[in-house]
């Protein structure tokens, strides 16, 4: 008996068995009340061979079918009969057409004039803008960057998404990066693998971005992160006013938020050290000026200035001061973070929930990410927000960073 319900044919290609893509797509259809018939299934029979599945998806009505297709599309299933993407001009600055396509963080292509073109600067929760011409291009734009008459992709026709695929083995320096969170993994073994991944990234002329919070300084790991910056293993730093303030306070007063990092004691008036630090940096005119004046002669921010490592200090409503280098305009800070994220080949997120999630939102799913925090909620929230490529390590940052530095640089 012929099934007369609305249906469409979708295709899955690649390592769809090992990555769990096929099982995930089957589950989506059934969980959303649909059915499917597998029309063709070709299994890759050696580790480098890809598999292929073509299936027809059925639903009770057109709206239900569209909802299922949307979820399948987000997971890498593509329509077998692609058409050109539908474009509509933006009606005004910062206004997108209704039904605009909202991106995932996976590599994406759009079909334009019968050809597939890559979407540049891919990140989640953006619009896709196509620029016409002899060599048409497509790129993501956040909503506040949309300008009137930008050609915006709407709907989901003519779009292909390519989620990263899990390798069939764990060989090579990046083999361990398959996502997931665990406090049970052998810490020293995993740190050694992270060190190898950083070294391989640098050998390939890639860029390593560190995202960190003041807890790193409180835990006594500032000197070791400074070592990594000094020796050229860190290419960019993303943090907040608090991290820079306590790093400089540590160098000037030997305290972090008023506590002596070495003795764990609270010296008299130590609670005022952070605001004294901020006032002196303001007086100097900024962090680089304070380094030039000799006020700062060590620490992470000092090494960033000395090694010309660019840093972004994104402000928040709770900042004291803030330091002159802190970007207090939220949109401007987002744009600065976004530029760093798009350049990064590997990201270390070290004990900072807000900055980790903010940077994670700007990353492609192909960017290698390691998130370390003593609080499991930080690591799981990052993955829940869509950074599924990240590996999470629930451990003390004061142990992780020194051990990582020793693995890469050797003990001093």
């Amino acid at each position: 008996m012929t099934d007369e319900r609305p249906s469409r044919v979708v295709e899955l290609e690649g390592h769809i068995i090992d990555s769990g893509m096929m099982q995930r797509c089957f589950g989506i259809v059934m969980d959303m009340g649909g059915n499917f018939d597998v029309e063709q299934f070709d299994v890759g029979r050696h580790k480098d061979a890809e598999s292929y599945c073509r299936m027809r998806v059925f639903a009770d009505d057109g709206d239900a079918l569209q909802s299922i297709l949307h979820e399948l599309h987000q997971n890498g299933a593509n329509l077998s009969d692609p058409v050109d993407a539908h474009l509509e001009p933006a009606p005004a600055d910062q206004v997108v057409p209704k039904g605009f396509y909202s991106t995932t963080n996976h590599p994406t292509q759009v079909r334009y004039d019968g050809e597939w073109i890559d979407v540049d600067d891919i990140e989640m929760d953006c619009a896709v803008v196509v620029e016409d011409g002899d060599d048409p291009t497509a790129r993501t734009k956040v909503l506040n960057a949309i300008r009137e008459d930008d050609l915006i992709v709407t709907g989901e026709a003519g779009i292909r998404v390519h989620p990263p695929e899990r390798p069939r083995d764990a060989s090579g320096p990046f083999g361990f990066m398959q996502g997931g969170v665990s406090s049970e993994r052998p810490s020293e073994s995993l740190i050694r693998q992270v060190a190898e991944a950083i070294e391989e990234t640098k050998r390939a002329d890639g860029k390593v971005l560190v995202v960190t919070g003041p807890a790193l300084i409180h835990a006594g790991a500032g000197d070791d992160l400074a070592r990594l910056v000094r020796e050229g293993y860190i290419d960019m730093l993303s943090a907040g006013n608090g991290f820079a303030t306590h790093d400089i306070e540590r160098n000037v007063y030997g305290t972090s938020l008023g506590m002596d990092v070495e003795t764990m004691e609270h010296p008299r008036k130590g609670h005022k050290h952070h605001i004294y630090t901020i006032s002196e940096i303001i007086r100097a005119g900024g962090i680089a000026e304070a380094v030039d004046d000799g006020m700062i002669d060590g620490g992470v921010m000092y090494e960033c200035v000395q090694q010309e490592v660019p840093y972004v200090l994104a402000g928040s409503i709770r900042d004291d001061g803030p330091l002159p280098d802190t970007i207090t305009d939220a949109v401007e800070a987002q744009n600065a973070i976004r530029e760093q994220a798009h350049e990064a080949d590997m990201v270390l997120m070290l004990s900072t929930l807000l900055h980790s999630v903010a940077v994670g939102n700007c990353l492609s799913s192909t960017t290698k990410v390691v998130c370390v925090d003593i609080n499991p909620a930080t690591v799981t929230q990052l993955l829940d927000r869509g950074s599924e490529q990240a590996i999470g390590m629930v451990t003390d940052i004061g142990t992780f960073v020194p051990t990582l530095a020793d693995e890469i640089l050797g003990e001093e």
Side-chain angles (χ1 to χ4, degrees):
M1 182 176 176
T2 303
D3 194 329
E4 299 295 337
R5 292 179 301 166
S7 67
R8 293 294 297 274
V9 175
V10 298
E11 297 175 316
L12 294 82
E13 297 180 83
H15 297 297
I16 59 177
I17 301 173
D18 305 293
S19 66
M21 181 194 298
M22 187 172 69
Q23 180 181 359
R24 196 160 54 245
C25 288
F26 287 174
I28 286 170
V29 176
M30 292 184 289
D31 290 345
M32 297 183 69
N35 301 97
F36 61 87
D37 286 336
V38 175
E39 298 181 345
Q40 182 178 344
F41 183 31
D42 300 327
V43 181
R45 299 188 181 277
H46 55 84
K47 75 173 187 177
D48 295 323
E50 297 184 345
S51 300
Y52 171 83
C53 176
R54 185 177 69 241
M55 65 178 182
R56 181 173 293 275
V57 180
F58 299 88
D60 291 335
D61 56 59
D63 290 341
L65 178 63
Q66 188 57 42
S67 296
I68 294 173
L69 293 174
H70 170 80
E71 293 301 322
L72 291 175
H73 172 77
Q74 302 290 295
N75 284 273
N78 297 297
L79 294 173
S80 63
D81 53 346
V83 295
D84 281 358
H86 182 66
L87 306 178
E88 289 188 28
D93 288 357
Q94 303 185 22
V95 180
V96 290
K98 290 185 177 180
F100 79 99
Y101 175 75
S102 178
T103 57
T104 69
N105 60 349
H106 301 315
T108 302
Q109 294 177 307
V110 295
R111 191 175 177 86
Y112 180 75
D113 199 20
E115 300 290 337
W116 290 104
I117 55 177
D118 294 332
V119 178
D120 295 330
D121 298 333
I122 194 67
E123 61 178 276
M124 66 178 72
D125 301 331
C126 292
V128 175
V129 177
V130 174
E131 296 182 4
D132 197 4
D134 294 335
D135 187 17
T137 61
R139 60 185 292 260
T140 59
K141 272 193 179 184
V142 293
L143 298 190
N144 63 52
I146 297 296
R147 293 296 173 260
E148 184 176 0
D149 294 328
D150 277 351
L151 291 177
I152 311 295
V153 176
T154 60
E156 292 180 357
I159 301 168
R160 291 199 304 206
V161 175
H162 304 278
E165 296 175 350
R166 179 179 301 160
R168 294 194 176 204
D169 55 37
S171 61
F174 301 117
F176 74 103
M177 289 187 167
Q178 299 181 21
V181 181
S182 178
S183 57
E184 303 298 326
R185 294 178 177 176
S187 296
E188 290 187 8
S189 174
L190 185 56
I191 293 172
R192 188 175 304 113
Q193 290 174 305
V194 174
E196 291 173 358
I198 292 173
E199 292 171 329
E200 176 61 23
T201 299
K202 296 302 299 177
R203 283 194 293 269
D205 294 326
K207 291 189 176 182
V208 177
L209 166 65
V210 163
V211 183
T212 189
L216 184 141
I217 305 299
H218 305 334
D223 290 344
D224 294 285
L225 181 58
R227 288 170 60 199
L228 291 170
V229 175
R230 181 170 61 249
E231 298 301 324
Y233 286 92
I234 307 300
D235 300 285
M236 299 174 285
L237 176 74
S238 180
N241 184 69
F243 171 82
T245 297
H246 298 308
D247 172 68
I248 298 169
E249 177 193 341
R250 165 80 171 81
N251 175 254
V252 175
Y253 293 101
T255 60
S256 176
L257 202 58
M259 182 187 73
D260 189 305
V261 175
E262 303 298 332
T263 66
M264 303 300 171
E265 296 177 351
H266 291 267
R268 186 170 178 271
K269 293 187 177 181
H271 63 286
K272 297 184 179 181
H273 286 173
H274 79 286
I275 201 66
Y276 291 163
T277 298
I278 292 170
S279 69
E280 289 305 310
I281 300 300
I282 293 174
R283 194 187 322 278
I287 295 173
E289 290 80 0
V291 170
D292 291 342
D293 291 347
M295 175 190 166
I296 308 171
D297 60 8
V300 179
M301 300 312 299
Y302 170 84
E303 295 296 348
C304 285
V305 172
Q306 292 291 80
Q307 308 305 324
E308 298 183 346
V309 170
Y311 55 84
V312 172
L313 303 180
S316 72
I317 195 68
R318 65 185 183 278
D319 285 340
D320 291 321
L323 295 167
D325 304 71
T326 301
I327 304 173
T328 56
D329 183 288
V331 174
E332 183 182 346
Q334 285 179 9
N335 290 336
I337 288 171
R338 183 167 286 110
E339 287 184 16
Q340 285 190 326
H342 290 170
E343 290 184 26
D345 298 287
M346 182 174 178
V347 182
L348 296 180
M349 298 180 171
L350 309 175
S351 288
T352 172
L353 172 59
L354 296 179
H355 286 275
S356 294
V357 172
V359 174
N361 287 351
C362 300
L363 294 173
S364 163
S365 63
T366 59
T367 305
K368 302 167 185 68
V369 178
V370 178
C371 181
V372 183
D373 204 293
I374 197 66
N375 182 1
T378 298
V379 184
T380 55
Q381 185 166 339
L382 177 69
L383 271 67
D384 290 344
R385 284 284 300 166
S387 300
E388 297 177 0
Q389 80 277 21
I391 68 160
M393 190 171 180
V394 181
T395 191
D396 175 29
I397 200 68
T399 299
F400 177 85
V401 175
T403 306
L404 179 68
D406 288 345
E407 284 289 343
I408 295 175
L409 304 173
E411 297 186 25
E412 294 182 347

